[in-house]
Amino acid sequence: MKDLAIFGAGGFGREVALLIDQINQEKREWNFIGFFDDEADAKGGLPIIGTSRALKDIKTPLHLAVAVAAPLVRRSIVGKLRGGELAFPVLCHPRANTGARTNTLGKGTIITEACILTTGISIGEFVIVNLATTIGHDARIGDFCSIMPGTNISGNVRIGHDSLVGTGAKILQNLTLGERCRVGAGAVVIRDVKDGQTVVGVPAKPI
């Protein structure tokens, strides 16, 4: 078994710890050693064993899942931690359909339970695809995106890096969302979204 820690001891970090346990029920793969977090106080009795500074000084191989939902915060953390003895595995729930033979998943990506990825999909590095999300054929999702639970992304959609798609949002086919976009929860996106734009509503409109 390979040693694995989680950076981020918040709600999503605890969900990733559960994900690791569920992976191990199918195949004993990970030895979960605890959480790293830059908050000084332990949260809910979780085993917080160090900070990002401690991670930079690690001299033995360690796999790390970065479980921070905010895309730009996650990018900043990874930027501090790259190099050395850290590795960033792809973590996929055993009951997620990842279409492994036809899709590509970048390092550090986390795919949670009941997600469905069809075919010809490319997902960048350090992407979060949260519970019960569907992603259609030939979609392209950039690095450090966060796709929240229950999202439906149709075929041939392009999403630029550092974007966040809110819970229950729907993105219609053949659309392009730029970099650092925000799509509100429950929004229905029917037209392209520009870089840095936030859209909300049905149909989704910029705010």
Side-chain angles (χ1 to χ4, degrees):
M1 295 173 69
K2 297 168 286 190
D3 287 344
L4 184 147
I6 296 171
F7 188 94
F12 187 61
R14 287 181 282 123
E15 289 180 348
V16 173
L18 177 61
L19 167 62
I20 293 165
D21 181 61
Q22 291 166 328
I23 290 172
N24 281 340
Q25 290 175 25
E26 300 285 328
K27 177 183 177 182
R28 298 293 293 174
E29 184 174 2
W30 301 109
N31 175 38
F32 176 51
I33 66 170
F35 294 88
F36 287 82
D37 199 300
D38 284 338
E39 298 290 333
D41 297 327
K43 303 177 182 179
L46 296 175
I48 297 177
I49 56 178
T51 64
S52 56
R53 183 180 296 274
L55 276 169
K56 292 173 68 175
D57 296 332
I58 282 180
K59 304 301 183 186
T60 56
L62 176 66
H63 291 81
L64 184 71
V66 183
V68 177
L72 292 176
V73 176
R74 191 162 68 255
R75 177 182 284 276
S76 176
I77 291 166
V78 171
K80 295 176 184 177
L81 299 177
R82 285 188 188 271
E85 297 297 328
L86 294 175
F88 300 96
V90 174
L91 297 177
C92 296
H93 194 282
R95 289 184 291 279
N97 182 350
T98 61
R101 290 182 296 176
T102 64
N103 299 330
T104 60
L105 308 178
K107 70 179 179 182
T109 285
I110 300 171
I111 311 289
T112 61
E113 188 171 6
C115 292
I116 299 174
L117 283 61
T118 61
T119 187
I121 295 165
S122 174
I123 293 180
E125 296 183 353
F126 300 98
V127 172
I128 292 171
V129 182
N130 218 324
L131 299 165
T133 286
T134 63
I135 302 178
H137 64 86
D138 302 305
R140 299 287 183 269
I141 298 177
D143 297 344
F144 294 96
C145 286
S146 292
I147 312 300
M148 295 294 102
T151 295
N152 301 130
I153 298 172
S154 300
N156 286 311
V157 167
R158 303 290 187 268
I159 302 178
H161 63 70
D162 301 307
S163 292
L164 185 146
V165 181
T167 298
K170 301 180 186 301
I171 303 173
L172 300 192
Q173 64 273 13
N174 302 319
L175 295 181
T176 296
L177 283 64
E179 300 168 359
R180 303 177 307 282
C181 289
R182 298 293 182 270
V183 177
V188 178
V189 181
I190 64 171
R191 56 180 60 90
D192 291 349
V193 179
K194 296 178 181 178
D195 290 353
Q197 206 166 49
T198 296
V199 296
V200 299
V202 181
K205 296 180 180 179
I207 60 171

